[in-house]
Amino acid sequence: MNMETYHTYNEIKTQTQAWAQALDVVRASDSPKAGDYDQVIFTGCGSTYYLSLAAAALYTELTGRSARAVPGGELLLNSQTVVQQTSSLRRCLLVAISRSGTTTETVKAVEKFKAEKRGDVAVISNYNEVLSRMADFNYVIDKGQEESVAQTRSFASMYVAVTALCAKMAGRDDLLSSMSDLPKAGEALMAKYEAYAKVVGENLNFDRFYFLGSGIRYGLACEVNLKMKEMTLTHSEPFHFLEFRHGPMSMVNENAVVVGMLSDANRAHEAKVLSEMKMLGGTVAAFGESGADVCFESNVPESVRSVLYLPVIQLMAFYRSLAKGLNPDRPTNLTAVVKLDF
Ligand code: F1P
């Protein structure tokens, strides 16, 4: 089968070009100053909500300031549970993330935020659309644009952008410059591990996938879980590592794959969970900088290299989709953008 006939495959395999553009765009643009804001909120829908979860955790880790992530629909319909009444001096920064820049909940939520004069808006998108036109700080990564419905290249490009933005707002130019090594590391990773992704993806004895990720990686665990669900119609769920023992691990058997997005900082605790799941008959797929089934070997600092968890798992979902006779470019029941009558 010729993989290049699928948009999804081409988009996954070319995504590092979009990572590079994301870095260029953020480096060249003005950025908000962390000290100007009482509250920082990240928002998006589906994939871009999960991106927001990852971004909020990273923002706090790098700046030491609190941030939170909410779905666009929640910010629109339940903003009273989200937006604090900030002092007039220091306001709220809303970071809206959207591949299309036209998702109704996200657009309406930003319109409401601005109408209520809550603060400033930063937009990260792959298209210069209505959302970008409302931005005080606008980051458009057009090389992340894609034909397929499930986000792969687009998501990764926006994640690199928000990672760079968090580093910049934290005043960590050292981290920002170290990110230049990511595209090369991503290329090497896909070249080395595509075969591994194919073997796991094509094994239809597996009927359930669990994605474990903690700290800055939990939002990414939610995203790759969505990829597996959207592209392959497989039962899958994301969890924080230690949470998996508190009930969900009852599902682990020889038909289960447990994907572990290992950190350096908490490697011992996380690896123990994986070893226990192997004892229960599960197949473990560990990802990390080193000492894992898939090793990044990037030498990029841990806080700014998490995009490297994505490509091999995206390929795994792609190959499973084909093995199940599905079309990864056209996930069942889904459209590329959700437009609602509000
Ligand atoms: C977000 C979205 C997601 C969905 C899928 C397609 O659109 O519709 O809700 O999970 O990934 O994209 P956008 O606001 O990022 O364009």
Side-chain angles (χ1 to χ4, degrees):
M1 181 173 300
N2 180 2
M3 304 304 154
E4 274 76 14
T5 57
Y6 293 97
H7 291 302
T8 303
Y9 184 76
N10 294 320
E11 288 155 1
I12 293 170
K13 295 289 288 220
T14 60
Q15 66 182 286
T16 56
Q17 297 162 31
W19 301 4
Q21 187 192 36
L23 289 172
D24 293 344
V25 166
V26 172
R27 283 174 179 148
S29 309
D30 288 341
S31 305
K33 291 179 177 48
D36 289 353
Y37 304 98
D38 276 321
Q39 187 182 21
V40 178
I41 299 167
F42 293 86
T43 195
C45 297
S47 285
T48 39
Y49 165 57
Y50 301 136
L51 208 166
S52 298
L53 279 173
L58 181 62
Y59 182 83
T60 298
E61 178 166 300
L62 292 184
T63 66
R65 296 170 181 274
S66 75
R68 62 180 293 189
V70 284
E74 281 303 295
L75 187 57
L76 178 60
L77 300 179
N78 292 299
S79 60
Q80 73 284 358
T81 68
V82 179
V83 187
Q84 293 162 359
Q85 306 303 327
T86 55
S87 66
S88 55
L89 294 180
R90 287 151 48 109
R91 308 193 307 164
C92 180
L93 174 67
L94 175 61
V95 184
I97 306 172
S98 172
R99 167 177 65 180
S100 63
T102 61
T103 294
T104 302
E105 297 113 293
T106 309
V107 169
K108 293 290 180 189
V110 171
E111 284 174 353
K112 182 169 187 280
F113 181 88
K114 289 185 75 78
E116 293 170 355
K117 298 189 179 0
R118 296 290 190 167
D120 297 330
V121 174
V123 168
I124 297 175
S125 183
N126 299 119
Y127 296 85
N128 204 1
E129 272 288 347
V130 56
L131 203 59
S132 289
R133 292 194 283 277
M134 293 192 277
D136 301 293
F137 302 92
N138 186 31
Y139 309 95
V140 177
I141 304 98
D142 58 22
K143 286 189 176 176
Q145 294 175 4
E146 46 198 10
E147 296 298 320
S148 47
V149 171
Q151 295 191 13
T152 52
R153 175 172 71 190
S154 61
F155 181 94
S157 72
M158 293 187 285
Y159 179 71
V160 168
V162 84
T163 298
L165 181 61
C166 289
K168 205 172 171 184
M169 290 182 73
R172 294 295 304 272
D173 290 348
D174 57 323
L175 292 177
L176 190 55
S177 60
S178 74
M179 293 180 72
S180 301
D181 292 337
L182 286 172
K184 183 162 52 36
E187 283 302 312
L189 204 57
M190 287 191 276
K192 186 170 179 185
Y193 292 105
E194 177 168 357
Y196 172 80
K198 191 167 188 287
V199 166
V200 177
E202 290 182 343
N203 185 338
L204 297 186
N205 293 322
F206 299 137
D207 67 2
R208 61 198 76 176
F209 282 73
Y210 300 101
F211 298 94
L212 308 186
S214 295
I216 61 173
R217 288 157 296 274
Y218 176 66
L220 300 182
C222 294
E223 164 57 13
V224 291
N225 171 69
L226 181 64
K227 285 307 79 94
M228 189 55 76
K229 211 180 279 280
E230 285 178 331
M231 284 200 234
T232 77
L233 304 181
T234 300
H235 167 84
S236 59
E237 280 187 273
F239 293 98
H240 296 87
F241 266 96
L242 301 190
E243 276 298 292
F244 196 51
R245 289 196 183 97
H246 297 273
M249 76 175 195
S250 57
M251 292 292 289
V252 175
N253 62 19
E254 64 285 352
N255 304 117
V257 175
V258 181
V259 175
M261 301 166 81
L262 292 170
S263 68
D264 287 349
N266 297 315
R267 165 69 62 110
H269 300 293
E270 296 166 347
K272 185 140 185 353
V273 174
L274 296 183
S275 65
E276 290 168 17
M277 299 315 130
K278 206 172 228 173
M279 298 285 286
L280 294 174
T283 293
V284 163
F287 287 65
E289 177 67 6
S290 60
D293 297 300
V294 175
C295 295
F296 306 151
E297 294 166 327
S298 68
N299 297 316
V300 174
E302 177 157 57
S303 55
V304 293
R305 68 173 183 234
S306 297
V307 68
L308 295 175
Y309 290 101
L310 300 175
V312 176
I313 302 175
Q314 292 167 347
L315 286 168
M316 200 181 282
F318 170 77
Y319 281 111
R320 182 173 173 84
S321 175
L322 296 188
K324 291 188 72 174
L326 300 169
N327 179 355
D329 288 355
R330 292 281 168 265
T332 307
N333 301 337
L334 300 185
T335 56
V337 187
V338 175
K339 292 283 185 69
L340 306 172
D341 292 330
F342 262 80

